[in-house]
Amino acid sequence: MKRLTYADSGVDIRAEERAISAMKRVMTGRRKGIGAPITDIGHYAGLIDMGEYALAMTTDGVGSKVLIANAMKKWDTVGIDCMAMNVNDLLAIGAEPLAFVDYLALERIDPEMTAAIAIGLERGAQIANLSIVGGETASLPEIIRGFDLAGTCIGMIKKEEVITGEKIKKGDVVVGLPSSGLHSNGFSLARKIVAESSYTYFDKMPGSEKTIGELLLEPTRIYMEALEVIRKADVHGMAHITGSGLLKLHRISGFGFEIFDPLEPQPIFRFLQEEGGVAEDEMYRTFNMGMGWVFVLPEDDADTVLKMTDGKVVGEIVDEGLRLGDMELK
């Protein structure tokens, strides 16, 4: 059996990193005074100086998960995904989300579809306790096939309370919180696996009462509990595990991560792995594998977080590298 990789589906994480680096080399302009950037490009959220506070901004979309929504004609959850991908990135630096604007690009106007998408956006806004203050809808029949959904979110945080990961130190523990499924990443590979299998999105996944399409469309979890956790525990860093899987941990620290007791991935991950012949390390470099959020904090504070969340201690901070059991991820 051929062993499928993310690159086989047309997504090359290393190439994307090089492309982003090329853009960052050009975008060097910086405003001075109020409104000046506090952080460099590349963290979960951009921070802007507003005196005592920082304004935090994120932007993201749903990605090719929308193609499954189209195939299933089920559009009422992708708005939650769009909201979650933005809100979670704000939460990862400790900012409280305040407001959101969406961008919906359509091949053709379809009121049934747009109304269903709005249901998800509104539900996501309720979970995140923020307001949708505007947006843009564009009809682009020569560019878009189906639709594309993205958004931008703003939040606020006192500057001295920003969590960037710089306080992370060797010996800190890593607490992982479960994901709800694939969230909104790795769908180019997931779709390719299903397309090359004997299954369709409308077939029930073996061992489940739900169809493969329903399981893939499970909306992204929004980790609002993070705001309460950082008030009660000395959190040194947080990570939203999205595209590139566990490699996302490198975004918050130059130290290493030893994951010795990972969360159990939901059955949909193992189904995709088996059907696509995907190697174990490739799975953890592509998907969240059942862990959508990470807190890094002193061991003495771990019990506080465990009592407040459904997480568990999955690892610890070491000198360098990223290891999952006997497997090294690069």
Side-chain angles (χ1 to χ4, degrees):
M1 174 189 285
K2 180 181 178 181
R3 300 181 73 85
L4 289 177
T5 67
Y6 206 8
D8 290 332
S9 68
V11 180
D12 187 330
I13 293 295
R14 304 301 183 192
E16 286 187 0
E17 290 174 350
R18 293 193 296 271
I20 292 169
S21 295
M23 294 177 69
K24 288 167 63 176
R25 286 195 295 270
V26 176
M27 297 185 296
T28 58
R30 293 291 185 269
R31 177 185 169 90
K32 306 294 185 182
I34 292 294
I38 297 174
T39 53
D40 293 330
I41 296 172
H43 213 289
Y44 280 107
L47 291 171
I48 298 169
D49 191 346
M50 298 298 288
E52 179 185 358
Y53 287 85
L55 180 71
M57 299 181 66
T58 60
T59 190
D60 206 344
V62 182
S64 65
K65 188 173 185 176
V66 302
L67 296 176
I68 301 177
N70 275 339
M72 301 286 291
K73 296 191 181 300
K74 179 174 170 45
W75 304 292
D76 61 342
T77 58
V78 291
I80 300 176
D81 291 301
C82 188
M83 191 69 65
M85 294 303 290
N86 284 279
V87 168
N88 286 341
D89 279 1
L90 285 181
L91 297 172
I93 54 96
E96 181 169 0
L98 300 176
F100 182 89
V101 294
D102 66 274
Y103 174 72
L104 177 60
L106 299 158
E107 179 181 5
R108 60 181 178 84
I109 297 297
D110 182 341
E112 179 186 357
M113 175 195 294
T114 56
I117 292 169
I119 289 172
L121 286 169
E122 176 61 19
R123 177 58 184 147
Q126 291 171 356
I127 296 170
N129 189 32
L130 57 71
S131 303
I132 300 175
V133 296
E136 175 70 12
T137 300
S139 298
L140 303 170
E142 294 179 299
I143 300 175
I144 299 294
R145 293 294 175 261
F147 75 98
D148 187 29
L149 178 63
T152 298
C153 198
I154 62 168
M156 291 286 284
I157 185 172
K158 287 186 175 181
K159 287 192 292 190
E160 69 267 21
E161 295 176 357
V162 172
I163 299 173
T164 63
E166 62 183 15
K167 291 173 62 179
I168 292 175
K169 62 182 184 297
K170 184 178 176 181
D172 282 351
V173 298
V174 179
V175 174
L177 270 59
S179 66
S180 55
L182 270 68
H183 284 183
S184 297
N185 303 102
F187 277 87
S188 292
L189 178 55
R191 289 186 299 105
K192 184 176 181 64
I193 290 170
V194 176
E196 295 187 3
S197 75
S198 60
Y199 294 92
T200 73
Y201 296 133
F202 299 94
D203 293 326
K204 287 186 177 180
M205 193 187 78
S208 174
E209 289 301 310
K210 291 187 176 182
T211 66
I212 295 166
E214 288 172 329
L215 290 168
L216 291 173
L217 286 179
E218 185 69 33
T220 306
R221 177 173 170 177
I222 300 177
Y223 294 94
M224 290 299 291
E225 58 266 53
L227 293 178
E228 186 64 22
V229 168
I230 62 178
R231 296 186 187 105
K232 300 290 181 64
D234 182 21
V235 175
H236 289 174
M238 293 180 285
H240 177 205
I241 307 301
T242 57
S244 71
L246 284 185
L247 296 179
K248 269 290 186 289
L249 295 173
H250 289 313
R251 175 177 279 193
I252 61 171
S253 179
F255 280 105
F257 292 78
E258 182 81 30
I259 308 299
F260 51 71
D261 189 18
L263 296 176
E264 181 69 25
Q266 290 89 347
I268 184 65
F269 291 105
R270 295 308 183 193
F271 169 80
L272 293 171
Q273 182 175 19
E274 182 177 341
E275 289 297 316
V278 184
E280 185 79 351
D281 59 344
E282 184 71 9
M283 292 293 292
Y284 277 94
R285 281 195 298 262
T286 304
F287 302 108
N288 66 62
M289 293 300 283
M291 184 173 71
W293 189 267
V294 158
F295 292 105
V296 180
L297 68 167
E299 184 176 6
D300 290 345
D301 282 38
D303 282 345
T304 299
V305 179
L306 298 181
K307 290 175 183 176
M308 298 176 65
T309 70
D310 57 349
K312 76 169 187 176
V313 175
V314 298
E316 64 180 347
I317 300 298
V318 295
D319 285 323
E320 59 184 8
L322 175 56
R323 295 195 63 82
L324 177 70
D326 296 331
M327 181 171 57
E328 186 169 1
L329 299 176
K330 295 181 178 179

